[in-house]
Amino acid sequence: MEIIDGKFVSEQIKNELKWKVNKLKECSIIPKLVIITLENNAATELYIRNKKRLFNELGICIEQKIVDVSIEMNGLLKIIEDLNKDNTVDGILIQSPVPDRFNINELFEKISFYKDVDGFNPINVGRISLEMNGYVPCTALGIMQLLKYYNISVKGKHAVVVGRSNIVGKPIARMLLQEDATVTICHSKTVNLKTYTKTADILIVAVGKEKLIQADMIKDNVIVIDVGINFTKEGKIVGDVDFENVKKKCSYITKVPGGVGPMTVVMLAKNTIDSANKRRLGV
Ligand code: NDP
C-alpha cells in the first residue's frame, strides 16, 4: 500500500507556480483572486485560511470580500459586476454555502467566465464537458494531477465516484470519463452502495460523512481517493473513509488531511495565475 501524498505533490507544483508568478512580476503583474463570502462554517474557514496561506506564500494577491448575509440579489450582482470590470482582478470565487434564497448557479453565471477560476460558470462547465479549453474545477483538477503524479492510468479502469455535486462529484466523473475510465456515479439515493464500491478499481469519495466507506465495501488493491472533510467531536479533521481499516486493502490511498485538500488549493492558485497570463498577456 502506498500513500498518495497530496502535500508533497502540491509542494512540487508550488515550485512551478512560483516561477510563473516571478515571470508575471517581471511584467509588473501580480495575479489577484477575490473571494466573496456570505456564510461561514468550520469547513469554509479552513478552506479560506488555507487559500490565504498558499497565496501569500506564492506572492499572489488574495482578497476576501465579506458580504453581509442580508444582502439582496441586486447588491450581490453589483459586487460581481464591479469585480468583472476591474482589470486588476484575475479570479473571482463565491465561497459556498450561500443563503438559501440565492441560487448559487445564477451567481456563478454572473462571474465573467474569463475570471471563473473555480470552473463553475455554465460556460466553463459546458466547454469542459465538450472537451474544449476552460477552467476545470480545482478539486477535480487536483485529483487528476495526483493520479498522474503517481503514474496511475485510469484508462479502462472502473472508477466509482460517490457523490454527485456540481463542485466535486460531477466534475471528477467527467474528467475520469475523458481519460477513458468506465465511470459509475453513486449518491444518496443509490440502493446498496456497497454493490458498486466493491467493483471499483478506483474509488473517489466526496460525500462529507465520516467512515462512510468501510473495509468490507472495497475489493483488494483498489485505489482510494478520499475527498471528504469532516470534523470529529474532538475537532479532528477526517475524511469519508475508515482510513485505518481500508488502507490495508488498498494499492494506493490518500490521507485526510494531506491528500486532496492541498491539491485543491494549489489548483486554485494555478487557475488564477493562468487567468493572469491569458487576460493580461494573452498567453
Ligand atoms: P455536497 O453536500 O454538495 O454533496 C454530497 C454528495 O454526497 C451528494 O451528491 C449526496 O447525494 C451524496 N451523498 C450523501 N449521503 C450519501 C450516502 N449515504 N451515500 C452516497 N452518497 C451520499 O458536498 P460536496 O460535493 O461539496 O463535498 C463533499 C465533501 O468533500 C465534503 O466533506 C466537503 O467538505 C469535501 N470537500 C473537500 C474538498 C477538498 O479539497 N478536499 C473540496 C470540496 C469539498 P445527493 O446528490 O443525492 O444529495
Side-chain angles (χ1 to χ4, degrees):
M1 183 275 300
E2 190 173 345
I3 301 277
I4 296 180
D5 188 343
K7 183 125 184 47
F8 175 79
V9 180
S10 68
E11 289 295 330
Q12 314 308 306
I13 298 172
K14 248 193 246 176
N15 291 332
E16 288 165 31
L17 296 183
K18 276 181 190 159
W19 184 84
K20 286 189 181 179
V21 173
N22 286 337
K23 284 275 156 212
L24 279 161
K25 282 188 179 162
E26 282 169 16
C27 306
S28 307
I29 296 168
I30 298 178
K32 179 173 174 180
L33 173 77
V34 177
I35 305 179
I36 301 173
T37 53
L38 286 105
E39 280 182 356
N40 264 0
N41 57 40
T44 57
E45 273 170 24
L46 174 78
Y47 297 152
I48 291 170
R49 205 167 47 242
N50 289 344
K51 282 168 192 163
K52 284 183 178 166
R53 193 182 299 135
L54 173 71
F55 277 57
N56 290 333
E57 192 187 331
L58 290 174
I60 313 178
C61 187
I62 183 163
E63 199 179 288
Q64 184 180 1
K65 221 174 190 33
I66 302 170
V67 178
D68 194 297
V69 283
S70 65
I71 194 165
E72 296 296 330
M73 184 69 169
N74 280 347
L76 200 46
L77 292 183
K78 172 83 173 65
I79 290 173
I80 298 171
E81 250 169 53
D82 289 347
L83 293 171
N84 282 340
K85 283 185 202 148
D86 184 342
N87 195 40
T88 66
V89 174
D90 300 292
I92 306 169
L93 183 159
I94 298 171
Q95 185 71 57
S96 57
V98 297
D100 286 345
R101 65 179 186 285
F102 294 112
N103 177 336
I104 196 153
N105 288 330
E106 281 178 17
L107 297 176
F108 291 147
E109 193 175 19
K110 300 297 176 202
I111 296 175
S112 157
F113 77 89
Y114 294 107
K115 299 188 179 188
D116 172 41
V117 288
D118 240 351
F120 299 147
N121 176 298
I123 295 178
N124 272 317
V125 177
R127 290 184 66 91
I128 294 300
S129 303
L130 296 171
E131 302 191 26
M132 296 166 75
N133 285 339
Y135 290 109
V136 176
C138 303
T139 304
L141 193 58
I143 293 171
M144 295 312 287
Q145 295 262 331
L146 270 183
L147 294 172
K148 198 168 145 202
Y149 191 90
Y150 283 85
N151 287 320
I152 298 169
S153 165
V154 306
K155 191 173 183 171
K157 299 222 171 89
H158 183 206
V160 174
V161 179
V162 188
R164 59 171 165 183
S165 73
N166 293 330
I167 289 175
V168 188
K170 283 182 197 142
I172 189 61
R174 271 196 294 271
M175 298 302 290
L176 290 162
L177 190 60
Q178 279 176 23
E179 295 293 325
D180 296 328
T182 302
V183 182
T184 299
I185 306 177
C186 300
H187 45 79
S188 69
K189 310 294 183 298
T190 298
V191 177
N192 200 354
L193 182 63
K194 187 172 159 180
T195 323
Y196 301 93
T197 55
K198 266 256 177 210
T199 63
D201 302 312
I202 301 176
L203 178 65
I204 309 225
V205 194
V207 171
K209 283 203 166 91
E210 190 183 336
K211 294 194 178 167
L212 176 73
I213 303 298
Q214 303 281 332
D216 67 344
M217 295 171 76
I218 55 164
K219 67 178 185 187
D220 285 334
N221 294 322
V222 61
I223 296 155
V224 173
I225 308 287
D226 189 353
V227 185
I229 297 179
N230 307 292
F231 293 85
T232 63
K233 277 183 246 117
E234 297 77 34
K236 208 175 140 215
I237 297 171
V238 296
D240 290 343
V241 173
D242 181 5
F243 182 80
E244 287 308 323
N245 293 310
V246 165
K247 74 174 183 193
K248 296 171 194 154
K249 290 177 82 177
C250 297
S251 55
Y252 292 90
I253 185 167
T254 57
K255 278 194 306 188
V256 180
V260 176
M263 292 300 290
T264 299
V265 197
V266 102
M267 290 301 118
L268 180 65
K270 178 193 175 297
N271 282 352
T272 306
I273 295 164
D274 285 351
S275 171
N277 268 309
K278 278 186 212 145
R279 293 182 48 259
R280 301 208 235 177
L281 295 177
V283 292

